[in-house]
């Protein structure tokens, strides 16, 4: 097996005083994996505990009894750690900068004192609606400060939040409200984005038709747009916040009490409710935020993700606020009103760390460097990438035009399930290579296993599937209401290991290169999508008999969605129907799930036992049908020729 050896980029000057000196990483990493108890016992102290923990790590990856507990007997409150404890020293410091969609609307600076008041009031609103410890609250909000208030308010009273990305459809929202058994959903009237408005309240109304009529709806009147109103069910949060007390005592919570559920796509079936708990998650989010971004007092940190994704949870809200940082919440999009918006915001707020996804970099790269050059980016110190492998071309453009060659790039590999960064460079400590996530974070023990035999690949280079051999505090604890599915999805395939679902190679220097998902999850513009979800949306259409969905390489999105659709007998395949199916999927799941290409497939390649051979469909979608491999087990090999003949992607 050959793994090309790519030269390292040296650490740029100016990082001599970074948090870790060059040999600090290796030493600290060795310590973290040789004595995890001692290491995390110390690291756990970065939080304020109401009752300190005596136990540190109690974890077991054995199939049938998988159990993950950290700081188990410690008692804390997450909102106190993100807000109250900063008041003595930084009440007047900005906690959140809200940058609205429309650049003509002034930004808002919310201090820690103000954040504290809002969170307390919001918590009292939740209590007034009967929300109790352990209750689930679904948050369906745009990128506005109220989203952070709502999250922290839940944490304050011990309720479990579950954020649903505002781009999801009413159906997707209803499924998540029902699966989590939420008592309450928090939404806004409408959400401006890129100059357009999404009708969140009316989406919520539509979703609630499929939910218990006991579910209440708190509405943030954000734009003031007209919405329907159901008395007794709908509540004006902002008005009520004015009426309740600005003091809400924080509820002491066990370290292992759930903090949030976040639904994410798996390779099969309905979305999985990933559960994160309070103590370990916050220790890990805060620690990774500090080291990986070389975060220092006075920095202005900007993560461009949406709070609806895990990246927004850990690196817009929990990590930065636990560290007393100034964090930006951006309501808009990178390309509106023009392709310079990101850089204009960086210059305006003197951003020091900028964290975004490769798909955004690729699309801005296509607009030319002049959009970047117009703005003063001298405040930037560290650049980050997340969500999908970054191609060296985009990496080099980011480095040259945005970082001007002086900002280390941290390519952070991690997942909803991992809570925080797992494999990543650290500024001033780890030299980078364009396209590599580099080395494991402290306490993380990656292992590369042979995909079919499960044998651990020792030594460098190596290639296979990426597993993690021991627990870390930010690890998910279970799937909401389905611990068995949790074990099956992550611990069954390679016994004794957490299986990430990603392929990986390790080069001669021990650097990790993530090669993408090896399961039926695709990564579209940095968003995770289960092909099974798109398939079940398609077959729910009355004209569709069968559907198979795969990913294919897409120049901007990383992967595009390619759907093979078999129509019901007698249905005419037309362009109009293609459009209709696209719209159908948008409304069933959301715009991010819309197929890029739909190929009419009179038949799908199946084994004699009726199993769809996705490997073949992937190859055809990649326009790489020369290497179809063994097709002898197909029930009807003729369908393959037909599919090749009419393939939609001719690269
Ligand atoms: C992919 C997002 C390569 C990977 C934080 C993973 C990446 C999935 C990177 C998780 C990266 C994320 N390099 N691939 N730096 N970061 N991925 O749960 O396939 O939305 O399994 O979490 O994104 O996506 P999720």
């Amino acid at each position: 097996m050959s793994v090309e050896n790519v030269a390292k980029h040296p650490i740029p000057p100016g990082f001599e005083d970074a948090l870790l000196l060059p040999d600090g990483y290796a030493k600290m990493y060795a310590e973290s994996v040789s004595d995890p108890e001692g290491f995390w016992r110390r690291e756990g102290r970065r939080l304020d505990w109401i009752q300190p923990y005596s136990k540190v790590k109690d974890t077991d990856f054995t199939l049938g009894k998988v159990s993950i507990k950290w700081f188990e007997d410690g008692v804390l409150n997450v909102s106190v750690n993100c807000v109250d404890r900063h008041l003595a020293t930084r009440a007047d410091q900005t906690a959140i900068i809200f940058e609205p969609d429309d650049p003509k609307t002034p930004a808002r600076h919310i201090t820690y004192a103000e954040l504290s008041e809002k969170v307390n009031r919001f918590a009292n609103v939740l209590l007034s609606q009967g929300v109790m410890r352990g209750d689930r609250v679904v948050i369906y909000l745009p990128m506005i400060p109220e989203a952070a208030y709502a999250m922290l308010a839940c944490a304050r009273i011990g309720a479990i939040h579950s954020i649903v990305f505002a781009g999801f459809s009413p159906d997707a929202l209803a499924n998540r409200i029902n699966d989590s058994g939420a008592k309450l959903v928090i939404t806004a009237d409408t959400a401006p984005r890129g100059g357009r408005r999404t009708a969140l309240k009316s989406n919520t109304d539509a979703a609630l038709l499929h939910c218990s009529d006991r579910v209440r709806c708190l509405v943030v009147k954000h734009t003031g747009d007209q919405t329907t109103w159901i008395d007794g069910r709908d509540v004006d949060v902002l008005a009520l916040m004015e009426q309740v007390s600005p003091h809400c005592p924080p509820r002491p919570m066990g370290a292992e009490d759930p903090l949030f559920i976040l639904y994410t796509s798996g390779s099969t079936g309905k979305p999985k409710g990933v559960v994160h708990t309070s103590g370990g998650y916050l220790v890990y989010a805060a620690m990774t935020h500090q080291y990986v971004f070389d975060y220092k007092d006075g920095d202005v940190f900007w993560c461009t993700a949406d709070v609806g994704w895990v990246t927004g949870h850990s690196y817009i809200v929990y990590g930065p606020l636990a560290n007393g940082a100034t964090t930006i919440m951006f309501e808009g999009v990178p390309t509106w009103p023009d392709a310079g918006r990101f850089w204009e915001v960086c210059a305006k707020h003197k951003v020091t760390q900028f964290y975004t996804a490769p798909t955004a970099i690729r699309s801005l790269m296509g607009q030319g460097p002049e959009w970047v050059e117009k703005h003063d980016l001298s405040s930037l110190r560290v650049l980050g990438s997340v969500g999908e492998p970054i191609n060296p071309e985009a990496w080099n453009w980011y480095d040259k035009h945005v970082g001007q060659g002086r900002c280390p790039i941290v390519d952070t590999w991690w997942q909803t399930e991992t809570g925080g960064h797992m494999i990543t460079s650290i500024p001033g400590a780890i030299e980078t290579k364009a396209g590599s996530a580099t080395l494991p974070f402290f306490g993380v023990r990656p292992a590369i296993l042979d995909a079919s035999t499960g044998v651990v690949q020792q030594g460098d280079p190596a290639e296979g599937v990426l597993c993690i051999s021991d627990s870390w505090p930010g690890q998910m604890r279970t799937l909401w209401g389905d611990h068995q599915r949790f074990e099956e999805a992550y611990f069954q395939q390679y016994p004794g290991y957490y299986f990430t679902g990603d392929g990986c190679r390790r080069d001669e220097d021990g650097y990790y290169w993530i090669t993408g998902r090896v399961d039926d999850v695709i990564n579209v513009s940095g968003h995770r999508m289960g092909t099974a979800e798109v398939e079940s949306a398609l077959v729910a259409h009355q004209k569709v008999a069968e559907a198979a969905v795969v990913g294919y390489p897409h120049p901007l999105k990383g992967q595009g969605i390619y759907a093979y659709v078999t129509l019901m007998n007698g249905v005419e395949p037309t362009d109009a129907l293609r459009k209709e199916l696209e719209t159908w999927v948008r409304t069933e799941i959301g715009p991010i799930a819309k197929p890029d290409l739909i190929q009419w497939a009179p038949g799908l390649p199946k084994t004699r036992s009726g199993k769809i051979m996705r490997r073949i469909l992937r190859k055809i979608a990649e326009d790489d049908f020369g290497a179809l491999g063994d097709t002898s087990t197909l029930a009807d090999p003729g369908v393959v020729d037909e599919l090749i003949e009419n393939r939609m992607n001719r690269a």
Side-chain angles (χ1 to χ4, degrees):
M1 160 194 351
S2 88
V3 177
E4 58 182 311
N5 208 358
V6 177
K8 291 178 187 168
H9 283 244
I11 290 162
F15 279 82
E16 296 78 12
D17 67 338
L19 290 164
L20 289 161
L21 295 170
D23 65 333
Y25 165 77
K27 198 164 145 262
M28 189 158 154
Y29 178 76
E31 214 181 282
S32 73
V33 290
S34 66
D35 176 22
E37 272 294 316
F39 181 83
W40 290 111
R41 182 177 296 280
R42 282 193 305 280
E43 279 301 329
R45 294 194 194 116
R46 61 176 54 242
L47 300 186
D48 280 5
W49 297 84
I50 297 167
Q51 180 191 300
Y53 46 86
S54 67
K55 300 184 193 157
V56 177
K57 179 177 187 287
D58 179 6
T59 65
D60 189 347
F61 281 6
T62 312
L63 192 62
K65 51 175 191 170
V66 178
S67 162
I68 296 148
K69 291 182 185 141
W70 285 88
F71 312 111
E72 193 185 338
D73 57 351
V75 175
L76 79 169
N77 183 280
V78 166
S79 81
V80 168
N81 277 281
C82 291
V83 186
D84 307 42
R85 68 165 170 162
H86 305 310
L87 294 176
T89 51
R90 45 179 109 235
D92 298 328
Q93 181 203 305
T94 301
I96 298 175
I97 298 177
F98 172 57
E99 173 68 28
D101 184 49
D102 187 340
K104 294 195 286 291
T105 311
R108 263 162 57 201
H109 289 250
I110 297 141
T111 63
Y112 272 95
E114 200 183 333
L115 177 64
S116 166
E117 188 191 327
K118 300 285 191 196
V119 169
N120 277 269
R121 287 184 185 274
F122 210 118
N124 280 326
V125 167
L126 293 177
L127 290 175
S128 78
Q129 299 305 306
V131 178
M132 291 186 293
R133 175 190 186 136
D135 283 346
R136 276 78 61 206
V137 169
V138 164
I139 300 176
Y140 184 61
L141 284 174
M143 286 287 290
I144 55 177
E146 284 77 7
Y149 306 159
M151 293 164 81
L152 294 164
C154 286
R156 195 158 191 90
I157 64 170
I160 305 167
H161 63 70
S162 182
I163 307 191
V164 177
F165 173 55
F168 277 127
S169 70
D171 271 3
L173 175 61
N175 291 340
R176 286 154 175 79
I177 293 172
N178 293 333
D179 190 85
S180 65
K183 238 188 190 170
L184 189 106
V185 53
I186 305 171
T187 191
D189 43 13
T190 57
R193 232 175 141 252
R196 286 188 290 210
R197 286 188 181 186
T198 312
L200 290 186
K201 172 60 165 59
S202 66
N203 281 355
T204 308
D205 289 337
L208 287 175
L209 294 176
H210 306 284
C211 304
S212 150
D213 36 280
R214 286 192 299 274
V215 180
R216 294 271 183 122
C217 180
L218 299 193
V219 185
V220 176
K221 291 190 173 172
H222 173 53
T223 55
D225 286 345
Q226 192 84 39
T227 66
T228 51
W229 202 262
I230 298 183
D231 285 327
R233 185 197 73 181
D234 296 345
V235 177
D236 179 340
V237 202
L238 299 181
L240 195 49
M241 277 170 79
E242 294 307 309
Q243 293 162 28
V244 296
S245 153
H247 300 289
C248 175
R251 179 130 206 177
M253 301 298 291
E256 284 300 336
D257 283 331
L259 176 64
F260 65 85
I261 305 169
L262 185 55
Y263 286 86
T264 190
S265 298
S267 49
T268 53
K270 58 183 177 97
K272 307 185 280 197
V274 168
V275 175
H276 282 287
T277 57
S278 305
Y281 169 80
L282 196 64
V283 167
Y284 201 72
M287 182 184 179
T288 46
H289 172 259
Q290 183 194 348
Y291 281 104
V292 174
F293 298 112
D294 189 38
Y295 169 75
K296 297 195 178 117
D297 251 1
D299 283 347
V300 176
F301 181 81
W302 185 15
C303 163
T304 70
D306 191 284
V307 285
W309 309 114
V310 74
T311 308
H313 283 63
S314 300
Y315 302 110
I316 295 176
V317 179
Y318 289 117
L321 295 179
N323 289 334
T326 299
T327 181
I328 296 190
M329 281 186 90
F330 174 50
E331 191 182 29
V333 298
T335 47
W336 187 82
D338 62 46
R341 187 71 196 275
F342 269 0
W343 322 123
E344 181 215 321
V345 174
C346 283
K348 177 172 165 190
H349 298 299
K350 303 206 164 35
V351 169
T352 43
Q353 288 94 348
F354 178 75
Y355 188 33
T356 198
T359 184
I361 299 166
R362 284 192 298 267
S363 78
L364 295 174
M365 190 168 102
Q367 311 279 324
E370 55 276 18
W371 292 102
V372 188
E373 284 155 9
K374 269 196 223 170
H375 302 280
D376 174 10
L377 298 183
S378 56
S379 60
L380 287 175
R381 221 156 43 74
V382 177
L383 302 177
S385 173
V386 61
E388 52 176 316
I390 179 165
N391 48 314
E393 231 190 323
W395 197 102
N396 287 318
W397 186 88
Y398 200 26
D399 179 43
K400 180 170 172 209
H401 295 285
V402 182
Q404 294 155 352
R406 52 176 183 77
C407 301
I409 294 180
V410 290
D411 175 2
T412 62
W413 173 84
W414 61 296
Q415 311 178 293
T416 305
E417 292 88 340
T418 71
H421 304 144
M422 296 292 281
I423 300 182
T424 175
S425 170
I426 296 180
I430 298 175
E431 291 168 308
T432 52
K433 292 186 184 192
S436 167
T438 75
L439 299 173
F441 189 72
F442 306 117
V444 173
R445 294 177 49 198
I448 295 183
L449 273 58
D450 180 85
S452 46
T453 63
V455 172
V456 177
Q457 307 293 291
Q458 307 283 3
D460 304 329
E463 186 157 8
V465 293
L466 180 61
C467 290
I468 312 290
S469 27
D470 198 2
S471 186
W472 63 99
Q475 184 172 24
M476 73 184 287
R477 303 302 197 248
T478 189
L479 285 172
W480 182 253
D482 201 348
H483 195 70
Q484 193 181 336
R485 187 177 177 204
F486 170 63
E487 294 208 0
E488 286 165 4
Y490 302 104
F491 298 93
Q492 182 166 287
Q493 204 155 344
Y494 302 103
Y497 293 89
Y498 164 78
F499 173 46
T500 65
D502 279 312
C504 182
R505 58 198 175 91
R506 195 169 51 216
D507 71 14
E508 267 102 32
D509 296 321
Y511 274 43
Y512 289 81
W513 300 73
I514 309 297
T515 51
R517 302 286 307 196
V518 295
D519 53 10
D520 289 317
V521 170
I522 53 180
N523 197 322
V524 183
S525 301
H527 301 318
R528 246 169 99 161
M529 184 64 51
T531 52
E533 283 168 75
V534 186
E535 286 165 7
S536 60
L538 283 166
V539 296
H541 190 283
Q542 53 166 354
K543 291 180 184 160
V544 175
E546 200 167 25
V549 170
V550 297
Y552 72 100
H554 187 287
L556 289 181
K557 300 177 170 187
Q559 280 187 298
I561 301 178
Y562 194 118
Y564 296 88
V565 172
T566 308
L567 295 172
M568 292 289 190
N569 259 340
V571 175
E572 195 62 23
T574 60
D575 281 346
L577 181 55
R578 216 182 239 124
K579 282 259 157 328
E580 187 180 323
L581 292 182
E582 286 172 12
T583 314
W584 175 261
V585 176
R586 280 179 73 108
T587 34
E588 286 277 301
I589 307 176
I592 53 171
K594 181 177 92 66
D596 295 279
L597 297 171
I598 295 178
Q599 174 170 358
W600 305 123
L604 292 169
K606 289 183 188 166
T607 60
R608 283 183 199 99
S609 60
K611 199 169 158 350
I612 294 177
M613 293 189 76
R614 298 170 164 282
R615 177 176 56 82
I616 292 176
L617 294 177
R618 265 186 230 117
K619 287 285 178 195
I620 298 173
E622 284 164 14
D623 198 19
D624 179 23
F625 49 88
L628 282 186
D630 185 12
T631 55
S632 61
T633 54
L634 281 177
D636 173 12
V639 299
V640 174
D641 297 330
E642 205 280 341
L643 292 176
I644 291 175
E645 175 83 29
N646 296 309
R647 68 194 186 279
M648 302 290 291
N649 172 35
R650 291 166 196 258

